[in-house]
Amino acid sequence: MRLPFVTIIALSFCAQALLASGLWPIPRNLEAGNQLLKLSPAFSIQLHIPSAIEQPQDLLDAISRTRTRLQNDKLGRLTPGRGEEDREALVAAPSLLRLTLGIKGDGPLSSIASESVKDIANRDEKYSLVVPADGSSATITASSSLGLLRGLTTFEQLWYWVPSSPSDGSDVEQDGIIYAHQAPVAVKDDAPAFPYRGFMLDTSRNFFSTKDIKRTLDAMSMSKLNVFHWHVVDSQSFPLEIPGFLELARKGAYSSQDIYTTADVQDIVKYAAERGIDVLMEIDTPGHTAIIAKAYPEHIACPNASPWNQYAHEPPAGQLRLASPATIDFTVSLLSSIAKILPSTMFGTGGDEINVNCYDKDEQTQEDLKKSGKTLEQALDTFTRRTHGALRGFGKKAVVWQEMALDHQVTLANDTIVTVWQSSADTSSVVKKGFRVVHAPSNYFYLDCGGGEWIGNMAGTNSWCDPYKSWQKAYTFDPFAGLSASHAPLVLGGQQLLWAEQASPENLDPIVWPRAAVSAEIFWTGPRLPNGDFRNVNEALSRLHDLRFRMVQRGVRAIPLQPLWCALRPGQCDSGGLPSMIANLGVRRLLKRVRK
Amino acid sequence: MRLPFVTIIALSFCAQALLASGLWPIPRNLEAGNQLLKLSPAFSIQLHIPSAIEQPQDLLDAISRTRTRLQNDKLGRLTPGRGEEDREALVAAPSLLRLTLGIKGDGPLSSIASESVKDIANRDEKYSLVVPADGSSATITASSSLGLLRGLTTFEQLWYWVPSSPSDGSDVEQDGIIYAHQAPVAVKDDAPAFPYRGFMLDTSRNFFSTKDIKRTLDAMSMSKLNVFHWHVVDSQSFPLEIPGFLELARKGAYSSQDIYTTADVQDIVKYAAERGIDVLMEIDTPGHTAIIAKAYPEHIACPNASPWNQYAHEPPAGQLRLASPATIDFTVSLLSSIAKILPSTMFGTGGDEINVNCYDKDEQTQEDLKKSGKTLEQALDTFTRRTHGALRGFGKKAVVWQEMALDHQVTLANDTIVTVWQSSADTSSVVKKGFRVVHAPSNYFYLDCGGGEWIGNMAGTNSWCDPYKSWQKAYTFDPFAGLSASHAPLVLGGQQLLWAEQASPENLDPIVWPRAAVSAEIFWTGPRLPNGDFRNVNEALSRLHDLRFRMVQRGVRAIPLQPLWCALRPGQCDSGGLPSMIANLGVRRLLKRVRK
């Protein structure tokens, strides 16, 4: 007897789901079953540590958030019945009464916040998680509070919800049943493949409120991202209040409301750190600084020079007078003033897109160069040594864009972190110089690509980095492509990025989520799934759907990746069956041709 | 003496602003000054019609909405000072105390709602508007309540807001000053160049709530769009409650919450009509109907057939058994049941992407064809005559996709409206057959293009209609391209469209706005600006910014088109100065090359 096709599809769905579940990033070691397990209405989370050890408040807060999310997520399973099909079996399913958090070792326990801002090489995010199927206590063990947080995040992704019906009996006082469908679950020593897993937000081209940033940090934490690269200021606006330099924001912010006060910055840094995220702030120098001219015109070369195209990559033109001793002092003082209130061991100094013509046409810069007898590159070297040296004094390593390593003759410390953005093909050149790299290539990870050109006067032109970097495209990124094995240890990780020329609070979530979670899995999970297969978009799709729907339940306006019909039926909207050559042409376009 | 470049830019900005203002679509006749005019705190809007004539309630409601928006918009002018630069001059500026609405003629005055659903050829949207600069009464005159609504919409776009400061004197009891900066304004006999100016939303691939749809209708009304093409059901879900066919939604909606009840439909239709918008509902047939199999399996050929690619353009496969007399009766009855509760004179019957293989492999269809002695095309002709004939019985003209006119041998009534979607190049073939057309070409007006492929198993593939259709691309659309003068009258207008495979309430606003307002101007204003110049993206940008910012003030999450720095400084982010060849390559990419 031949099974009807519907049955075959159903079987293949089950096989997929057993591996996949709703975990994102998928743990590196995972064993999961297919048994139902309810969350008891009396469920509690207990932190088991020796009484002599102080319980960090932010860990207790994280536990409290997990408890709240378990109650509030109310995510129906992504099946055609949205979990209704589980209702009958749930009556007899065991209930989980307790999750116990345990710490290895008996030394003092640091707060999550202090663990999150440690040097990137020393962060301990490892955890193990066991959820038995019989209702006996679940456990998370780790050797740091940060590891416990990662375990809690994984635990939260196991649970679904189905509304109560009168026949549910004892659970009827609740409005629904919270349950897992893949018990037992065992995650052993899950830890990230790469230490740096970031997301970059530009808050200068358009402004985002503290509330927008916190929501972004919440979403980042859902997929265990651990670096918020905050490109806070640029040539268009200066929304950052810096102690001792208040005029910069007063004159350079878009409005008095569009400013991050020092208290806001500290609030954001604390909020992030408590969620396992280090804030890497960037003050891009010496380019991308035109707006400084509003408060300190003496430090900016070619301010608002026209046509801007000859003086800058974007309007308005204007760069720090890097050859001026006074401007170097100003910059050192500026960076120091903000860097010293930030706990991170990293600080971004930029260094991208320096426009030589701007300096060539700036009288003062030419005089400064003549006086010092330096070339522009030599002046840039001095500028860089001074600014990086000042940051080092505050215990911070400089993070720079790739041009500083590849295009200029500047001396960078060996521990400088280089962010590759122009193309993934440039990474090998950077590691050959011995620097550690963060992958941020525009050809995979730029979230703003594909939205049309924003420069005026260019009817019908596409964005400069077209096409749109779909989640699938990003997911196929290989962190080691083109690198020799000896250079592999220099790859710190990577990040997706939102440049905000065409972004604002109105479209922040839809542009970023769930796409920015793609690099979270690339750099946490590494190349292979827990079953040994290579990661691939076909397997990932249903889990990414799950993450997206959970984000929506938590108030993050993440976009749908497919019609809901497809999201509920993994595999049924695949192009399978067509030769891949045909698939690559686009199914519908081809069918249209074939039909005629 | 040569003026510094900053001054030159400022002058050119003024010249632009005098023409442009914040009006979208720009009226076909417009004279505007540059004087400031405050809105008096005692400002009122009065409807002056003979006492014998009844005042339509929805016109009174529209007046009330205008009054509320004038108070609530609080839109700062898009200048670097956001209107602060006007404050001093505002003290002495005259105040407008009254707007008077007058009607030509003395017959009975119909409601806006009844005017909005008239046959497309007979809608009277014409109005005139005068706003004197000296504070004497402003007037809107029209010969219909719908015309008055259009005039109110234009009037609303004249006003800006600047917060009060203690020195403002008499206005200090208000929190700010509401004012126009382009008085006097005279708009004479403004009326649309094309009668059909639509927007299409697909609510089947993913569901949108009534609230989402109403917000969309509000935004449509802001730019005088007048047809909401509601692609309400499709193969993926059936969210529509149809009297007598309740099982369709009960079994075919994504959930019991994801249904438009009859009351919802009537609510949406009324809400739309009161805002000048006709609801053109589409029940796509005979394709795009797979979901009907859930409630009526007997009427669907090749339900869920696999691989779907061979049976449909999108999963899941399934089409109405167009050759079955019972299915024709069912379809006629279904369309009639919903059509008769809708006031529009148009109804969409679809007709796109019919898959022949689905019918070739369907035993019952083959039997039905054999019994009747018809070919598939002849059966489609019968199906079409019957369904269109039933709609005609309810006073409705059929609206079909282009395939019905171009790819099939069916007899369509002369008054059938044909929507061209595959390519703008297909329009000429349709008009040559004598049909009226609505422009909806995927190569200009599809809002979903450029977001990556959503079909599974296709890593890194772009969307089938890549690239993203930017507002600039859409704006360059020529309604008469490739048409002879004699065929021009057959062009009814056009619409932008959102197919919702990758859209949901989370990204609805950002995908649609302000882009969908582009066709609103193309089809209202026609090819020329009021000063006689051809419409062009360079002039349009600052006005479209204005519309976008006003939308945001009204709760529509429209995307920013540029950094705010650029939005406040028209022209300063243009690529002007570069040869257009260079501009077309993308400024930054080129600069990067030049720099190296």
Side-chain angles (χ1 to χ4, degrees):
Chain A
M1 178 197 141
R2 218 180 129 199
L3 291 170
F5 77 92
V6 179
T7 315
I8 295 169
I9 284 172
L11 287 174
S12 85
F13 163 44
C14 285
Q16 247 183 343
L18 279 180
L19 169 68
S21 155
L23 301 181
W24 192 282
I26 198 159
R28 300 172 76 186
N29 294 297
L30 170 69
E31 287 176 39
N34 61 358
Q35 296 176 51
L36 296 174
L37 176 67
K38 286 182 287 197
L39 198 73
S40 166
F43 173 78
S44 70
I45 304 177
Q46 296 178 0
L47 179 57
H48 270 213
I49 54 176
S51 57
I53 298 180
E54 203 184 336
Q55 304 187 343
Q57 183 57 44
D58 62 10
L59 178 57
L60 298 175
D61 292 344
I63 291 169
S64 167
R65 283 198 304 274
T66 295
R67 213 183 281 118
T68 304
R69 287 179 189 145
L70 292 174
Q71 295 301 321
N72 292 355
D73 272 0
K74 295 191 174 173
L75 175 62
R77 281 184 60 194
L78 296 184
T79 64
R82 302 308 303 268
E84 291 290 338
E85 66 275 30
D86 299 323
R87 187 191 300 285
E88 202 179 315
L90 277 170
V91 176
S95 286
L96 180 67
L97 202 61
R98 185 172 299 125
L99 168 65
T100 301
L101 272 51
I103 279 284
K104 295 177 192 164
D106 51 7
L109 186 58
S110 306
S111 66
I112 298 172
S114 64
E115 296 284 337
S116 303
V117 300
K118 275 190 175 173
D119 189 278
I120 196 106
N122 301 329
R123 281 180 220 167
D124 179 1
E125 307 187 67
K126 195 195 295 182
Y127 71 95
S128 294
L129 165 69
V130 177
V131 183
D134 63 358
S136 56
S137 289
T139 57
I140 298 174
T141 49
S143 36
S144 73
S145 54
L146 179 58
L148 291 178
L149 173 72
R150 299 304 182 213
L152 286 168
T153 302
T154 302
F155 183 79
E156 288 169 9
Q157 295 181 340
L158 298 173
W159 303 93
Y160 298 87
W161 183 85
V162 64
S164 290
S165 81
S167 60
D168 283 343
S170 65
D171 287 312
V172 85
E173 76 275 9
Q174 306 264 310
D175 65 345
I177 305 166
I178 301 162
Y179 68 103
H181 67 100
Q182 298 198 291
V185 175
V187 175
K188 190 164 179 292
D189 288 341
D190 188 26
F194 296 86
Y196 184 116
R197 306 178 309 283
F199 167 67
M200 193 217 75
L201 181 65
D202 156 21
T203 57
S204 172
R205 274 59 180 247
N206 283 303
F207 182 77
F208 299 87
S209 71
T210 298
K211 193 178 148 201
D212 296 317
I213 292 177
K214 286 185 173 177
R215 191 176 64 254
T216 302
L217 293 167
D218 284 333
M220 287 175 65
S221 184
M222 282 181 74
S223 55
K224 303 188 175 81
L225 289 169
N226 73 347
V227 179
F228 176 55
H229 175 178
W230 191 1
H231 185 89
V232 61
V233 297
D234 208 296
S235 279
Q236 287 80 3
S237 78
F238 202 102
L240 181 67
E241 183 184 284
I242 298 185
F245 298 85
L246 302 182
E247 292 297 285
L248 281 169
R250 206 181 66 76
K251 295 186 174 166
Y254 280 137
S255 84
S256 58
Q257 274 79 56
D258 299 343
I259 291 176
Y260 307 107
T261 64
T262 306
D264 289 335
V265 170
Q266 286 170 330
D267 183 29
I268 286 168
V269 166
K270 179 170 183 286
Y271 192 93
E274 290 173 352
R275 283 153 184 81
I277 299 166
D278 188 16
V279 175
L280 158 56
M281 185 179 276
E282 177 193 355
I283 308 279
D284 201 346
T285 63
H288 291 271
T289 47
I291 200 72
I292 290 177
K294 292 228 177 187
Y296 299 93
E298 66 273 27
H299 295 310
I300 298 298
C302 73
N304 270 309
S306 177
W308 60 265
N309 324 51
Q310 297 178 14
Y311 299 91
H313 282 62
E314 269 188 20
Q319 301 182 150
L320 283 166
R321 285 186 162 131
L322 82 179
S324 154
T327 298
I328 294 179
D329 288 345
F330 165 82
T331 308
V332 164
S333 178
L334 181 73
L335 297 184
S336 300
S337 183
I338 184 70
K340 70 184 175 197
I341 65 169
L342 299 170
S344 180
T345 64
M346 299 183 284
F347 193 93
T349 58
D352 56 319
E353 301 184 320
I354 299 172
N355 185 297
V356 173
N357 187 49
C358 168
Y359 292 126
D360 284 351
K361 301 283 163 61
D362 185 56
E363 265 181 42
Q364 189 192 315
T365 298
Q366 294 309 310
E367 276 172 33
D368 287 331
L369 290 173
K370 201 186 287 178
K371 252 185 253 170
S372 65
K374 287 178 181 160
T375 64
L376 188 65
E377 284 297 328
Q378 287 167 336
L380 178 61
D381 186 49
T382 303
F383 179 92
T384 304
R385 285 171 191 260
R386 283 286 308 283
T387 51
H388 288 198
L391 293 169
R392 182 170 305 277
F394 295 104
K396 296 191 198 306
K397 294 172 181 63
V399 180
V400 297
W401 297 107
Q402 68 177 75
E403 291 97 318
M404 290 299 276
L406 299 181
D407 300 352
H408 298 291
Q409 281 78 55
V410 295
T411 309
L412 298 174
N414 286 339
D415 62 3
T416 306
I417 296 169
V418 178
T419 309
V420 175
W421 70 274
Q422 290 184 343
S423 165
S424 52
D426 298 330
T427 308
S428 62
S429 308
V430 176
V431 295
K432 279 176 192 156
K433 298 197 166 196
F435 296 114
R436 294 180 299 170
V437 293
V438 169
H439 289 294
S442 58
N443 53 331
Y444 284 88
F445 286 170
Y446 269 30
L447 298 172
D448 61 319
C449 302
E453 178 58 69
W454 61 266
I455 295 289
N457 253 332
M458 295 177 75
T461 311
N462 298 331
S463 71
W464 74 274
C465 55
D466 246 41
Y468 178 85
K469 304 300 174 260
S470 67
W471 77 265
Q472 301 98 319
K473 169 74 179 174
Y475 198 76
T476 60
F477 180 77
D478 175 0
F480 298 127
L483 305 190
S484 69
S486 65
H487 288 137
L490 293 173
V491 177
L492 284 182
Q495 62 184 14
Q496 285 163 286
L497 310 88
L498 181 60
W499 298 104
E501 284 87 355
Q502 294 161 301
S504 68
E506 283 67 35
N507 60 345
L508 172 63
D509 293 10
I511 286 196
V512 175
W513 305 112
R515 276 194 294 160
V518 163
S519 55
E521 180 154 293
I522 294 174
F523 296 109
W524 179 286
T525 305
R528 286 179 191 272
L529 293 165
N531 68 0
D533 291 349
F534 283 104
R535 271 193 302 97
N536 61 86
V537 293
N538 309 327
E539 185 282 331
L541 175 58
S542 63
R543 288 185 296 107
L544 193 56
H545 273 309
D546 217 281
L547 180 72
R548 178 266 171 180
F549 280 89
R550 206 175 284 276
M551 284 184 166
V552 170
Q553 295 300 98
R554 295 188 189 174
V556 177
R557 300 172 70 85
I559 65 167
L561 304 172
Q562 291 188 318
L564 181 57
W565 193 92
C566 303
L568 303 182
R569 294 167 180 84
Q572 290 202 33
C573 293
D574 284 358
S575 63
L578 291 183
S580 65
M581 183 208 71
I582 294 180
N584 286 335
L585 285 174
V587 173
R588 276 173 299 174
R589 206 176 336 204
L590 187 93
L591 284 173
K592 208 164 290 161
R593 279 188 220 136
V594 167
R595 190 167 49 91
K596 300 222 171 175
Chain B
M1 178 196 140
R2 222 180 126 197
L3 290 170
F5 78 92
V6 179
T7 315
I8 294 169
I9 285 172
L11 287 173
S12 85
F13 163 45
C14 284
Q16 249 183 341
L18 280 179
L19 168 68
S21 156
L23 301 181
W24 191 283
I26 198 159
R28 300 173 76 187
N29 295 298
L30 170 69
E31 288 176 37
N34 61 358
Q35 296 176 50
L36 295 174
L37 177 66
K38 286 182 286 195
L39 199 73
S40 167
F43 173 77
S44 70
I45 304 177
Q46 296 179 359
L47 179 56
H48 269 214
I49 55 175
S51 57
I53 298 180
E54 204 184 336
Q55 303 187 342
Q57 183 57 44
D58 61 9
L59 179 57
L60 297 176
D61 292 344
I63 291 169
S64 167
R65 283 198 304 275
T66 296
R67 214 182 280 117
T68 304
R69 288 178 189 145
L70 292 174
Q71 295 300 322
N72 293 355
D73 273 0
K74 295 190 174 174
L75 176 63
R77 280 183 60 192
L78 295 183
T79 63
R82 301 309 301 268
E84 291 290 337
E85 67 274 32
D86 299 323
R87 188 191 299 285
E88 200 179 315
L90 277 170
V91 176
S95 287
L96 181 67
L97 202 61
R98 185 173 299 128
L99 168 64
T100 301
L101 273 51
I103 279 284
K104 293 176 192 165
D106 50 7
L109 186 58
S110 305
S111 65
I112 298 171
S114 64
E115 296 284 336
S116 301
V117 300
K118 276 190 175 173
D119 188 277
I120 196 108
N122 301 330
R123 281 180 219 168
D124 179 1
E125 307 187 67
K126 194 195 295 181
Y127 72 94
S128 294
L129 165 68
V130 177
V131 183
D134 63 359
S136 56
S137 288
T139 57
I140 298 174
T141 50
S143 35
S144 74
S145 53
L146 180 57
L148 291 178
L149 173 71
R150 300 304 182 212
L152 285 168
T153 302
T154 302
F155 183 79
E156 288 169 9
Q157 295 180 340
L158 298 173
W159 303 92
Y160 298 86
W161 184 85
V162 65
S164 289
S165 81
S167 60
D168 282 344
S170 65
D171 286 311
V172 85
E173 75 276 8
Q174 308 262 311
D175 65 345
I177 305 166
I178 301 162
Y179 68 104
H181 66 100
Q182 297 198 292
V185 174
V187 175
K188 191 164 180 293
D189 289 339
D190 188 27
F194 297 87
Y196 185 116
R197 305 177 311 281
F199 167 67
M200 193 215 77
L201 181 65
D202 156 21
T203 58
S204 172
R205 274 60 179 246
N206 284 303
F207 182 77
F208 299 87
S209 72
T210 298
K211 192 177 148 201
D212 296 318
I213 292 177
K214 286 185 174 178
R215 190 177 65 255
T216 302
L217 293 166
D218 283 333
M220 288 175 65
S221 185
M222 281 181 74
S223 55
K224 303 188 175 84
L225 289 168
N226 73 347
V227 178
F228 176 55
H229 176 177
W230 191 1
H231 185 88
V232 61
V233 297
D234 207 297
S235 279
Q236 286 80 1
S237 78
F238 202 102
L240 181 66
E241 183 184 284
I242 298 185
F245 298 84
L246 301 182
E247 292 297 285
L248 282 169
R250 206 180 67 78
K251 296 186 173 165
Y254 280 136
S255 84
S256 58
Q257 274 79 56
D258 298 343
I259 291 177
Y260 307 106
T261 65
T262 305
D264 289 336
V265 170
Q266 287 170 329
D267 183 29
I268 287 168
V269 166
K270 179 170 183 285
Y271 192 92
E274 290 173 352
R275 282 152 185 81
I277 300 166
D278 189 15
V279 176
L280 158 56
M281 185 179 277
E282 176 192 356
I283 307 279
D284 201 346
T285 64
H288 292 272
T289 47
I291 200 72
I292 290 177
K294 291 228 178 188
Y296 299 93
E298 66 273 26
H299 295 310
I300 299 298
C302 74
N304 270 311
S306 177
W308 62 263
N309 322 51
Q310 297 178 14
Y311 298 91
H313 282 61
E314 268 188 20
Q319 301 182 149
L320 283 165
R321 286 186 162 132
L322 82 180
S324 153
T327 298
I328 295 178
D329 288 346
F330 166 83
T331 309
V332 164
S333 178
L334 181 73
L335 297 185
S336 300
S337 183
I338 184 69
K340 71 184 173 197
I341 66 168
L342 299 170
S344 180
T345 64
M346 299 183 284
F347 193 93
T349 58
D352 56 320
E353 301 184 320
I354 299 172
N355 185 296
V356 173
N357 188 49
C358 168
Y359 291 126
D360 284 350
K361 301 281 162 62
D362 184 56
E363 267 181 42
Q364 189 193 314
T365 298
Q366 294 309 311
E367 276 171 33
D368 287 332
L369 290 174
K370 201 185 286 178
K371 252 186 252 171
S372 65
K374 286 178 183 163
T375 64
L376 188 65
E377 285 296 329
Q378 287 167 337
L380 177 62
D381 186 50
T382 303
F383 179 92
T384 305
R385 283 171 192 260
R386 283 287 308 284
T387 51
H388 288 197
L391 292 169
R392 183 171 304 279
F394 296 104
K396 295 192 197 308
K397 295 172 181 63
V399 180
V400 298
W401 297 107
Q402 68 176 75
E403 291 96 317
M404 291 298 277
L406 298 181
D407 300 351
H408 297 291
Q409 282 78 56
V410 296
T411 309
L412 299 173
N414 286 338
D415 61 3
T416 306
I417 296 169
V418 178
T419 309
V420 175
W421 70 274
Q422 290 184 342
S423 165
S424 52
D426 298 330
T427 308
S428 61
S429 308
V430 176
V431 296
K432 279 177 192 156
K433 297 197 167 196
F435 297 114
R436 294 181 298 170
V437 294
V438 169
H439 289 293
S442 58
N443 52 331
Y444 283 88
F445 286 171
Y446 269 31
L447 299 172
D448 61 319
C449 302
E453 178 58 69
W454 60 268
I455 296 288
N457 254 331
M458 296 176 75
T461 311
N462 299 331
S463 71
W464 74 273
C465 55
D466 246 41
Y468 178 85
K469 303 300 174 261
S470 67
W471 79 264
Q472 300 97 319
K473 169 74 178 175
Y475 198 76
T476 60
F477 180 77
D478 175 0
F480 299 127
L483 306 189
S484 69
S486 64
H487 288 137
L490 293 172
V491 177
L492 284 181
Q495 62 185 15
Q496 285 162 288
L497 311 87
L498 181 60
W499 298 105
E501 284 86 354
Q502 294 162 300
S504 68
E506 283 66 36
N507 60 344
L508 172 63
D509 294 10
I511 286 196
V512 175
W513 304 112
R515 276 194 296 160
V518 163
S519 55
E521 180 155 293
I522 294 173
F523 296 109
W524 179 286
T525 305
R528 285 178 191 272
L529 293 165
N531 67 359
D533 290 350
F534 282 105
R535 272 192 303 99
N536 63 86
V537 294
N538 308 329
E539 184 283 330
L541 175 58
S542 63
R543 288 186 296 108
L544 193 55
H545 273 309
D546 218 282
L547 181 72
R548 179 266 170 178
F549 280 89
R550 204 175 285 276
M551 284 184 166
V552 170
Q553 295 300 96
R554 294 187 189 174
V556 177
R557 301 171 69 85
I559 65 168
L561 305 173
Q562 292 188 318
L564 181 58
W565 192 91
C566 303
L568 303 183
R569 294 166 181 84
Q572 290 203 31
C573 293
D574 285 358
S575 62
L578 291 183
S580 64
M581 183 207 72
I582 294 179
N584 286 335
L585 286 174
V587 173
R588 275 174 300 175
R589 204 173 342 201
L590 187 93
L591 284 173
K592 207 164 292 160
R593 280 187 220 136
V594 167
R595 190 167 49 90
K596 301 222 171 176

